[in-house]
Amino acid sequence: MDPQTTPRRLVSSGSPLEPEIGFSRAVRHGPYVSVAGTAPIAADGTTSAPGDVYAQTVRCLDIAEAALREAGARLTDVVRTRVMLTDATTWREAARAHGERFAAIRPACTFLEVSRFIDPQWLVEVEIDAIVTDHTAPDMIGW
């Protein structure tokens, strides 16, 4: 069976940890897309913007948005986001980055504090869930 024609599609970031841990950057199953916890990893594999919650959140959102696109989704398909922070008092910095992408979309969103991430330089991770709609259908808002 061709994996491109099955209802379940895996999106890889190319991380060597994916096969070791047994995860994908994102999974699309029918219209549903889930993007795994996305850390602020720079293109060279180092931590992006050490010490800067806002910039790290932007990097997480960039990576997650690329995974959404690869799965055939758009930001407008996003229905839920989760922003995990190692220090909840920095939530406004992460919220600013989140708002720059989602102010008009307004998905359900949760900010929460965690004790730490795999890399202690990571201050934030982001998870995203989306439901892909027919992008040619008329807007159903207000029904």
Side-chain angles (χ1 to χ4, degrees):
M1 186 180 278
D2 179 2
Q4 295 300 315
T5 61
T6 61
R8 183 177 170 94
R9 180 171 167 210
L10 307 179
V11 174
S12 175
S13 66
S15 167
L17 293 177
E18 288 180 15
E20 179 182 337
I21 296 171
F23 83 100
S24 296
R25 168 63 31 230
V27 175
R28 178 168 179 173
H29 196 297
Y32 302 100
V33 179
S34 293
V35 180
T38 303
I41 301 173
D44 66 2
T46 63
T47 298
S48 179
D52 186 336
V53 172
Y54 169 78
Q56 285 194 8
T57 306
V58 167
R59 179 64 184 149
C60 293
L61 292 169
D62 288 345
I63 295 166
E65 185 176 354
L68 284 169
R69 279 194 312 270
E70 190 172 335
R74 301 175 181 175
L75 284 181
T76 55
D77 296 317
V78 173
V79 295
R80 174 178 292 282
T81 60
R82 291 172 201 86
V83 180
M84 297 163 281
L85 299 156
T86 57
D87 179 358
T89 66
T90 64
W91 73 272
R92 285 194 181 274
E93 296 170 56
R96 179 166 54 104
H98 186 278
E100 289 170 359
R101 306 269 171 126
F102 293 109
I105 301 164
R106 298 182 56 187
C109 178
T110 302
F111 284 80
L112 59 141
E113 183 176 85
V114 297
S115 62
R116 66 167 288 174
F117 295 111
I118 292 171
D119 184 327
Q121 289 189 28
W122 300 348
L123 304 175
V124 61
E125 280 195 22
V126 175
E127 292 181 347
I128 293 178
D129 295 313
I131 301 173
V132 180
T133 57
D134 179 358
H135 295 140
T136 63
D139 187 356
M140 300 295 196
I141 293 176
W143 266 37

